Amino acid sequence: MILSDTDLREYLSSGRLVVEPLNWEVVRENGLDLRLGSEFCEIVESGEVLAVGEGDVTAYYRCGRGGEYLELKPSTRYLLHTLEVLALPSDLMGFVELRSTFARLGFLMPPTIVDAGFKGQLTIEVLTPPYPTRVRVGTRFLHVVFAKTITPVASTYRGRYQGQTGVTLPRW
């Protein structure tokens, strides 16, 4: 069951779903729009073999912080994050997509799921359009559709990204 704006307002008002900072304007017809945070990590090309699950990954990223804007290179993969911190209860999960405006501009994003019990800012990957772009920090750029599980999950999310803030690189 997908939550409507009425359901979302009830979850938020009761504190079962937490969004901080909460701006009620992000509550949409059937989901929440989340805003762009100020940190970014550009995924850089390398001739070095990455052994997944082993070693340090920082050499594969160029990270920084924007000011009022993020200046993004054309046709480049970035890790970005949400301004908001989310805390999901044991009976909700989320499907994350780009807002349609960003998709229409040529941004691409792989499917992303938020598990029941997750708490933190979201880190997502995007591929930029084939032209330079500048996006104001705080712009609504993601849309999260929440689905209610039939029963609460027995084991909420306790993974390595629990409590993440800013852009979080892969962890093993």
Side-chain angles (χ1 to χ4, degrees):
M1 170 176 68
I2 303 295
L3 271 62
S4 70
D5 56 351
T6 303
D7 300 320
L8 287 166
R9 284 188 190 94
E10 182 180 315
Y11 266 83
L12 290 164
S13 294
S14 71
R16 290 178 288 167
L17 172 63
V18 176
V19 176
E20 294 175 348
L22 176 60
N23 176 341
W24 287 98
E25 291 179 14
V26 303
V27 179
R28 309 304 300 166
E29 299 78 5
N30 60 346
L32 299 178
D33 286 349
L34 299 181
R35 298 172 292 167
L36 179 64
S38 61
E39 295 178 25
F40 65 90
C41 287
E42 176 186 350
I43 301 173
V44 296
E45 287 190 37
S46 174
E48 296 295 318
V49 173
L50 170 64
V52 175
E54 302 172 19
D56 184 17
V57 299
T58 56
Y60 301 92
Y61 297 89
R62 186 176 306 115
C63 299
R65 180 181 293 276
E68 186 177 349
Y69 294 93
L70 292 186
E71 304 280 343
L72 304 174
K73 298 176 186 175
S75 303
T76 303
R77 294 185 180 281
Y78 287 92
L79 296 181
L80 304 174
H81 73 98
T82 59
L83 180 68
E84 292 84 2
V85 171
L86 301 178
L88 276 65
S90 63
D91 64 341
L92 288 186
M93 58 81 58
F95 299 98
V96 185
E97 290 292 337
L98 287 170
R99 290 190 63 231
S100 64
T101 299
F102 283 90
R104 293 171 196 212
L105 289 171
F107 284 80
L108 297 172
M109 181 186 119
T112 303
I113 300 293
V114 184
D115 292 312
F118 173 82
K119 180 177 182 178
Q121 292 176 317
L122 302 182
T123 294
I124 56 99
E125 178 196 352
V126 297
L127 173 63
T128 58
Y131 44 82
T133 52
R134 181 175 63 190
V135 184
R136 184 183 301 274
V137 170
T139 297
R140 294 180 299 135
F141 80 115
L142 293 179
H143 185 71
V144 183
V145 173
F146 292 91
K148 184 169 174 52
T149 59
I150 294 171
T151 58
V153 298
S155 179
T156 58
Y157 181 79
R158 290 186 217 116
R160 62 184 71 109
Y161 302 109
Q162 186 72 297
Q164 70 185 9
T165 59
V167 171
T168 304
L169 298 180
R171 297 175 174 166
W172 340 108

